[in-house]
Amino acid sequence: MEYSYSRIFKFFWQFVGQYKWKFFLGSIFVFIASVVGLYQGYAFSQIVDILSRGTDSESFRAILIILATWLLTTTSRQLFGFFSKYINFNVAEKAAIDAEIYSMKHMSLLDMSWHERENTGNKLKKIDRGARGINDITRLWTNDVISMVVTFFGALIILMQFDFKLGVFIFLYQLMYYFIASFSRKRAIKAHHLTNIKGEEVNGLWFEIASNTRSVKVLGMSAKLFDYARDLTSELAKRIDKRIFWFQAGGYSQKLWEGLIKVVLVGYVIWEIGNGKYEVGFLVLFYSYFNVLTDAAMKFTDAAQEIASAKANIGRLTELLDEKVNIDKEKGKVKFPKSWDKIEVKNLTFKYGENVVLNNINFEIKKGEKIGIVGLSGAGKSTLFKLLLKEHESYEGEILFGGTTLRKISKASYVNHIAAVLQETEVFNMSLRQNIILANSAEENNSELFERSLSIAHVNDFLSKLPQRAETTIGEKGVKLSGGEKQRLGIARAVFKEPEVLFLDEATSHLDVESEQKIQDSLHKFFNDVTAVVIAHRLSTIKEMDRIIVIEGGEIIESGTFDELNAQSGRFREFWDKQRV
């Protein structure tokens, strides 16, 4: 994919521009350091000229003045160089961090349909490389671009003062130098881009292996996974080989061209010195400034390569940022209705591609009512759950809260009024307390609510086993907790949120019978204050629900109270009888 430079630099300035005055100051310091740095070659050539004419007191006085000026410019160059890099490298790091935060926030707002088709490792790699691209361009500007432009034109102008034709010839040499570099750079950047894409695939696989270490070890998946990894890395190695070839080929072809022209021009200057056109000092001046010009041209081509690489990295990130936020966007949305009397699901149909998962679903839930949803795996329960949680909006029909369509309700406002306990409780490498209060930061200091949450979810049953109790860091993915303990944490998190509507998806699936019974008793107390929608394989979990909906093949086939459905010889009765056996 092509990424325009205008788009890339607009993105770059979006973050660096927040520190524009520091950036401009650092750039001015680089400019001053580059200008005074030109004096060294000129000073040395003047000393050689003076010494070639003979030595006397006047000559030594002139040399001392040149040396003093040389010392002053060298000191100034180092001081301005230090402060320019100190300022602009600081800007580079801050801008990169800002870009990471911005990108992560944008990614978190994207619809679940996007997240479901993107590998987590790939996402993080794009963000990391894109942010680093901003850092790289800022450093290149400071280290190379300004000094390259100043030294190139400054040295060229000085040489032209002595010999205009020689200056023009050197300028043409530099143009050819650039075209040689450009030829290989285009191929190198293409190889770099293809390498990045394959690298993201490899990184995604490493991320998944690291995230699923237990399954990999217990189920003996390692050998097969690393067979996949070898195939991927083999292809990556081929692409890296091409990238290295074109980057190195460009560098050595430039050096060859530089070496040939340098020998020719040095010979020309020596010839003209012999003809009396120049003094000996001009050879020093020419050689010094020719090297300066070549170094500037080399920096230019290197910088062009690095900028193109950074452009590719930022371009990959802009692909992510170009993804539209639909469900989570706030513009044109309304707040969750303060007074609502029921949830209505009308003619709800949902497809994954051409596969119909839910077909013309209709039901309503009165405020305060507790509804259970049952059905075999693949029946459509979890999909319905996702739609009620506002994770997808590409459905036909309507979901209404008190007459307000869920599509129109702001996601931020909606999640403030609901809570969910998912089949797999996701936790962070923070303390147990932090993991619970994350859901309701407005009440983070409410110790009474926190204790109530621990009590209802029976977290107190295992709290004493943790070294620092609620302040214990529970490890990445909650590694210090069992599956059931993580599930209880999830329930405590939902209670702490004090929602109006509670969604539970297999909320007791990881619990033993005793723990399940305790939590069911506690949840019934919690249910008194909320509207609840509960999905369960264990039908005992929903025995006390006001109403139970049975879904099969994406359609509602039965609905009623537990007693009503149990009295019928239908699908629910069949499920219930099988679980009692």
Side-chain angles (χ1 to χ4, degrees), residues 24 39 182 190 219 338 342 368 418 507 544 552:
F24 287 145
Y39 184 72
S182 179
K190 181 179 179 181
L219 299 176
K338 289 183 178 180
K342 60 184 175 181
I418 69 165
E544 303 302 323
E552 191 165 287

Side-chain angles (χ1 to χ4, degrees), residues 489-518:
L489 186 155
I491 294 169
R493 182 188 284 168
V495 175
F496 189 78
K497 197 167 185 184
E498 296 189 299
E500 291 185 40
V501 185
L502 176 66
F503 296 98
L504 292 98
D505 183 5
E506 306 293 349
T508 58
S509 60
H510 292 292
L511 304 179
D512 55 53
V513 175
E514 183 180 352
S515 297
E516 180 186 11
Q517 186 59 51
K518 286 181 180 179

Side-chain angles (χ1 to χ4, degrees), residues 252-536:
Y252 279 98
S253 60
Q254 293 158 38
K255 289 179 186 296
L256 177 61
W257 174 244
E258 172 202 341
L260 292 172
I261 297 301
K262 183 186 287 186
V263 171
V264 171
L265 291 181
V266 166
Y268 167 77
V269 172
I270 292 172
W271 174 266
E272 293 294 359
I273 289 172
N275 291 332
K277 184 174 182 179
Y278 307 125
E279 295 187 68
V280 176
F282 183 70
L283 178 61
V284 176
L285 181 72
F286 166 77
Y287 193 81
S288 174
Y289 282 171
F290 182 87
N291 287 335
V292 166
L293 286 164
T294 301
D295 184 58
M298 190 179 298
K299 280 185 177 179
F300 179 80
T301 54
D302 289 345
Q305 286 181 343
E306 291 186 47
I307 288 171
S309 297
K311 171 177 171 276
N313 289 335
I314 293 174
R316 295 284 288 163
L317 176 56
T318 59
E319 286 181 16
L320 185 153
L321 297 176
D322 283 342
E323 292 288 338
K324 301 296 183 186
V325 175
N326 295 311
I327 295 175
D328 281 21
K329 69 180 179 182
E330 295 297 307
K331 188 175 181 181
K333 299 294 180 77
V334 300
K335 291 185 177 181
F336 188 84
K338 289 183 178 180
S339 56
W340 59 278
D341 55 350
K342 60 184 175 181
I343 303 169
E344 296 175 272
V345 176
K346 291 185 174 181
N347 306 318
L348 187 65
T349 298
F350 183 81
K351 300 177 182 178
Y352 278 119
E354 296 300 317
N355 181 34
V356 178
V357 183
L358 295 174
N359 184 27
N360 199 34
I361 297 287
N362 289 274
F363 64 90
E364 68 175 50
I365 306 169
K366 294 184 176 62
K367 188 172 185 178
E369 197 173 13
K370 292 37 167 170
I371 299 296
I373 300 175
V374 301
L376 294 174
S377 295
K381 308 185 303 297
S382 294
T383 299
L384 175 59
F385 203 69
K386 288 178 181 179
L387 302 188
L388 290 170
L389 287 174
K390 203 175 168 66
E391 292 184 74
H392 295 274
E393 286 186 346
S394 56
Y395 53 80
E396 298 173 20
E398 291 291 352
I399 300 172
L400 305 164
F401 278 76
T404 303
T405 176
L406 183 56
R407 286 191 181 98
K408 283 290 185 181
I409 298 173
S410 153
K411 181 67 177 289
S413 177
Y414 185 62
V415 298
N416 282 337
H417 292 81
I418 69 165
V421 181
L422 304 178
Q423 192 167 356
E424 294 292 335
T425 296
E426 296 174 334
V427 297
F428 299 88
N429 188 22
M430 302 175 179
S431 72
L432 184 139
R433 177 187 296 275
Q434 287 172 308
N435 268 282
I436 291 173
I437 66 175
L438 277 172
N440 188 5
S441 56
E443 297 290 337
E444 61 182 327
N445 296 317
N446 190 332
S447 57
E448 184 179 338
L449 177 59
F450 181 74
E451 292 300 327
R452 177 171 177 260
S453 303
L454 298 183
S455 175
I456 288 179
H458 286 272
V459 172
N460 288 322
D461 290 358
F462 66 85
L463 200 60
S464 59
K465 296 189 298 183
L466 301 177
Q468 285 83 43
R469 294 180 64 82
E471 306 307 325
T472 302
T473 299
I474 60 177
E476 186 180 6
K477 298 178 74 172
V479 68
K480 295 180 183 178
L481 304 180
S482 68
E485 288 168 347
K486 280 193 284 188
Q487 202 73 335
R488 293 192 219 179
L489 186 155
I491 294 169
R493 182 188 284 168
V495 175
F496 189 78
K497 197 167 185 184
E498 296 189 299
E500 291 185 40
V501 185
L502 176 66
F503 296 98
L504 292 98
D505 183 5
E506 306 293 349
T508 58
S509 60
H510 292 292
L511 304 179
D512 55 53
V513 175
E514 183 180 352
S515 297
E516 180 186 11
Q517 186 59 51
K518 286 181 180 179
I519 288 181
Q520 283 181 18
D521 293 341
S522 297
L523 282 175
H524 285 306
K525 299 175 186 176
F526 185 31
F527 284 163
N528 290 331
D529 304 318
V530 298
T531 302
V533 180
V534 181
I535 292 177

